[in-house]
Amino acid sequence: MVATKAFQDQKPGTSGLRKRVKVFQQQGYTENFVQSILSAIDSKGSTLVVGGDGRYFSEEAIQIIIKICAGNYVKKLMIGQNGILSTPSASNYIRKFKATGGILLTASHNPGGPDYDFGIKYNIGNGGPAPEAVTDKIFKISKELTEYHSVETPALDLSKIGVHQVGSMQVEIFDPVEDYVILMKELFDFESIKSFLKATPEFTFLFDAMHAVTGPYAKRIFVQELGLSADSVINAVPKPDFNHGHPDPNLTYAHELVEQVEKRSISFGAASDGDGDRNMIIGKGTFVNPSDSVAVIAANAELIPYFRSGVKGLARSMPTSSALDLVAKKKGYKVYQTPTGWKFFGNLMDAGQLSICGEESFGTGSDHIREKDGLWAVLCWLSIVAEKNKIKHTTLQDILDEHWKEYGRNYFSRYDYEEVDSNGANALYQGLFDKITKPGFVGSKLGNYTVQLADDFSYTDPIDASVSNKQGLRIVFSDGSRIIFRLSGTGSQGATIRLYVEKYSLDYKPQTQDAIQDLIKIALDLSELERWTGRKTPTVIT
């Protein structure tokens, strides 16, 4: 037992506790938070899965976790070799081996290194992120903590696969890739994809692991299993600082992939983020917007073996475009609109109500696990391409055009303003809320658009009736177009303001930014964003 002083800032956000590395390096900070997790879940006799994206401070954190878990009489720890374990793989391991839960060390798509971000996240027994009832309990305990339980033990060699003993606790170091690959081979027809790739040498493929966790997984799946050349996977070695990069798979930060795809006329390019749960799909002259990606997967679900027995339902986060809703309507599927955060999808999946879901933030997944899954999404698209090419030559752009011809196009873009002064961000949000909730705002005209609905989105979970308020300011127009503002909970410094704009049209030819410029101007003028933040341009446009 070690006496400690409580910290008042250990409130988990959308995906765990994320702070600068130097914060976690404070005396007792990491120890306190791990103890708070273990106390909240009554961890005596439990089995926990541990691992992460390999970012800076991961190994030190794992050694701390080992000591504190042993001190709390955890029965068994299952740790990915070298501390490496993608978030989707962790979810699979928790479910497959019926673990109590998992402690994941990741700050997802945020940069890594001594001056950047680290994160600790707890996943529950279904393999998904802890719900608010659990994270609230963790936070409450952390504010009142006076001691943590730890044992003194030499540092464990995380590179040696096998079973080790730490006090009364068993520690198993395992290959983090093997069981994930087994799962993927159960969901997809690897032989069909491999046959297509072999028979179509003009179809070129490039995957960028961004020096993050998916490198070993991608090498195994795309090179060893599907027979692609070794150079079809780049930046495949995980590095603590992601090779000084920002492991966020979008057009701004995955610039090496974007440049290579255009320069070499690559047919299919893909990338994943720090912990492997996000994805980006591109081709020469083609960008697959994440909102369109989940809609296309849902519309072509019968081409993916896992879904041939049927689709239970669809879901999207509220900011994600309504493209998925159009597929649901035509196919006769139930569709749910949830707050941002994968935990909301987990309840629906556990209740057997949901098969395919997605978020506009490059997250796509299904009920095979309880996290979004970057490589799963890539394999979905490869499956669709392979099946469609059995009939006729089909590119990524052909698939998008075919989809838009059938359903119309939901032009969608997100503007991110990162590390904005928190006071300015909160003032913007409150000022905009006051404007849109004033009597007379609904029914008014903004430019050529008539306001049909304006609110701060709230969600009542259809499974457990829990209520989540203040999930984003929505302005919905009579033609279905939308403007949404959210303050993001995934950063560690300042605030991130996200502006989402959506416009529906049967004309799918214009470029996205051309199609939505009038709505962008309305949003910026109405929110007075430059006044409150001092920003003239966004950090990232998706």
Side-chain angles (χ1 to χ4, degrees):
M1 186 164 53
V2 181
T4 190
K5 178 181 137 188
F7 294 89
Q8 302 302 306
D9 64 344
Q10 295 189 330
K11 182 175 176 59
T14 307
S15 295
L17 181 68
R18 293 182 187 172
K19 303 282 184 184
R20 292 297 201 212
V21 166
K22 287 179 171 59
V23 175
F24 279 98
Q25 288 175 324
Q26 294 176 86
Q27 184 176 352
Y29 196 90
T30 299
E31 290 87 344
N32 278 24
F33 190 65
V34 174
Q35 179 64 61
S36 298
I37 291 172
L38 298 180
S39 297
I41 66 169
D42 191 17
S43 61
K44 185 176 180 180
S46 63
T47 296
L48 297 173
V49 173
V50 177
D53 56 19
R55 67 179 54 236
Y56 189 88
F57 192 62
S58 291
E59 182 155 350
E60 296 93 324
I62 290 174
Q63 300 297 342
I64 290 170
I65 289 168
I66 291 169
K67 292 177 181 180
I68 294 185
C69 284
N72 282 269
Y73 302 103
V74 168
K75 181 181 178 182
K76 183 178 182 180
L77 287 185
M78 300 176 67
I79 304 176
Q81 186 181 26
N82 296 314
I84 292 292
L85 187 63
S86 76
T87 292
S89 185
S91 182
N92 177 48
Y93 271 92
I94 292 168
R95 293 171 63 79
K96 183 170 184 175
F97 295 100
K98 296 180 170 56
T100 308
I103 299 176
L104 281 58
L105 307 176
T106 176
S108 188
H109 55 294
N110 294 356
D115 297 319
Y116 291 100
D117 294 355
F118 188 72
I120 301 178
K121 167 185 171 184
Y122 181 68
N123 278 28
I124 59 175
N126 75 347
E132 288 178 15
V134 176
T135 55
D136 286 348
K137 189 175 181 182
I138 293 169
F139 182 44
K140 183 175 186 298
I141 291 169
S142 75
K143 292 188 293 183
E144 301 166 354
L145 201 69
T146 58
E147 61 188 30
Y148 59 82
H149 303 279
S150 182
V151 299
E152 282 305 313
T153 183
L156 197 64
D157 185 348
L158 302 178
S159 69
K160 290 186 177 178
I161 289 177
V163 178
H164 312 264
Q165 201 71 29
V166 178
S168 62
M169 181 177 72
Q170 189 182 87
V171 180
E172 180 183 348
I173 310 293
F174 64 90
D175 177 351
V177 176
E178 182 64 31
D179 281 276
Y180 179 81
V181 174
I182 290 170
L183 176 63
M184 292 302 105
K185 292 175 88 167
E186 291 170 358
L187 306 180
F188 299 99
D189 187 342
F190 271 43
E191 285 306 312
S192 176
I193 298 170
K194 187 175 182 178
S195 296
F196 161 70
L197 294 171
K198 187 175 181 181
T200 320
E202 65 274 17
F203 179 88
T204 48
F205 176 90
L206 187 64
F207 181 84
D208 186 357
M210 302 188 81
H211 288 294
V213 77
T214 54
Y217 297 86
K219 280 284 190 184
R220 173 69 185 276
I221 290 171
F222 300 126
V223 178
Q224 289 181 236
E225 300 291 342
L226 296 179
L228 289 165
S229 61
D231 61 3
S232 64
V233 178
I234 60 173
N235 301 322
V237 178
K239 296 191 175 180
D241 64 353
F242 307 111
N243 203 39
H244 307 294
H246 190 147
D248 194 355
N250 59 43
L251 296 172
T252 299
Y253 295 125
H255 55 84
E256 182 179 350
L257 174 71
V258 174
E259 290 161 8
Q260 290 286 333
V261 165
E262 291 303 315
K263 182 180 177 182
R264 296 164 52 192
S265 297
I266 299 289
S267 309
F268 189 120
S272 190
D273 69 329
D275 64 327
D277 62 355
R278 300 180 186 222
N279 74 94
M280 178 175 72
I281 309 291
I282 60 174
K284 168 73 171 176
T286 301
F287 166 65
V288 180
N289 187 289
S291 294
D292 285 330
S293 181
V294 66
V296 169
I297 290 170
N300 293 279
E302 70 279 0
L303 302 182
I304 299 164
Y306 181 61
F307 299 118
R308 285 178 186 156
S309 60
V311 172
K312 299 164 191 168
L314 308 176
R316 63 175 175 87
S317 64
M318 181 273 288
T320 303
S321 92
S322 307
L324 189 64
D325 303 35
L326 300 175
V327 174
K329 185 177 180 181
K330 182 156 191 175
K331 299 278 189 178
Y333 301 144
K334 176 79 173 172
V335 64
Y336 300 88
Q337 183 180 187
T338 73
T340 297
W342 213 258
K343 57 194 172 189
F344 296 103
F345 296 141
N347 265 7
L348 295 165
M349 290 175 181
D350 288 347
Q353 302 297 307
L354 176 59
S355 291
I356 300 170
C357 52
E359 296 181 334
E360 48 67 39
S361 52
F362 295 88
T364 324
S366 83
D367 60 349
H368 67 288
I369 55 173
R370 295 298 181 267
E371 289 278 7
K372 46 188 176 274
D373 191 344
L375 289 172
W376 172 89
V378 176
L379 287 166
C380 281
W381 272 88
L382 276 177
S383 297
I384 292 167
V385 169
E387 290 301 312
K388 286 186 175 291
N389 272 275
K390 288 179 180 177
I391 301 168
K392 64 175 182 177
H393 174 69
T394 305
T395 66
L396 292 181
Q397 191 61 52
D398 291 336
I399 292 169
L400 287 174
D401 288 348
E402 181 183 285
H403 184 86
W404 293 332
K405 281 177 188 174
E406 184 171 355
Y407 293 97
R409 184 172 180 182
N410 295 76
Y411 289 95
F412 180 88
S413 188
R414 185 180 96 188
Y415 283 34
D416 288 358
Y417 299 82
E418 297 177 351
E419 298 192 356
V420 170
D421 175 74
S422 295
N423 292 330
N426 288 327
L428 179 152
Y429 200 87
Q430 185 61 49
L432 184 57
F433 174 79
D434 292 343
K435 285 180 182 178
I436 70 172
T437 54
K438 273 186 178 175
F441 184 77
V442 173
S444 67
K445 285 190 76 80
L446 297 178
N448 295 320
Y449 301 88
T450 301
V451 178
Q452 186 177 70
L453 170 71
D455 66 1
D456 198 340
F457 179 64
S458 90
Y459 175 72
T460 301
D461 193 295
I463 308 305
D464 64 16
S466 61
V467 178
S468 300
N469 294 314
K470 299 183 178 179
Q471 295 297 316
L473 301 180
R474 294 188 298 176
I475 303 169
V476 182
F477 299 102
S478 57
D479 67 346
S481 298
R482 300 188 304 159
I483 292 170
I484 294 158
F485 278 88
R486 281 186 65 246
L487 298 183
S488 173
T490 59
S492 69
Q493 197 84 352
T496 295
I497 298 171
R498 302 200 196 280
L499 161 62
Y500 312 81
V501 169
E502 176 182 4
K503 183 177 186 177
Y504 178 76
S505 176
L506 293 174
D507 181 4
Y508 63 88
K509 296 292 187 182
Q511 294 297 307
T512 296
Q513 295 305 317
D514 294 335
I516 63 169
Q517 269 312 300
D518 55 343
L519 283 168
I520 292 289
K521 185 176 186 312
I522 289 169
L524 295 178
D525 289 347
L526 185 66
S527 65
E528 300 179 89
L529 187 140
E530 186 177 342
R531 173 194 167 194
W532 292 116
T533 68
R535 301 288 182 90
K536 292 182 181 292
T537 57
T539 313
V540 178
I541 296 176
T542 302

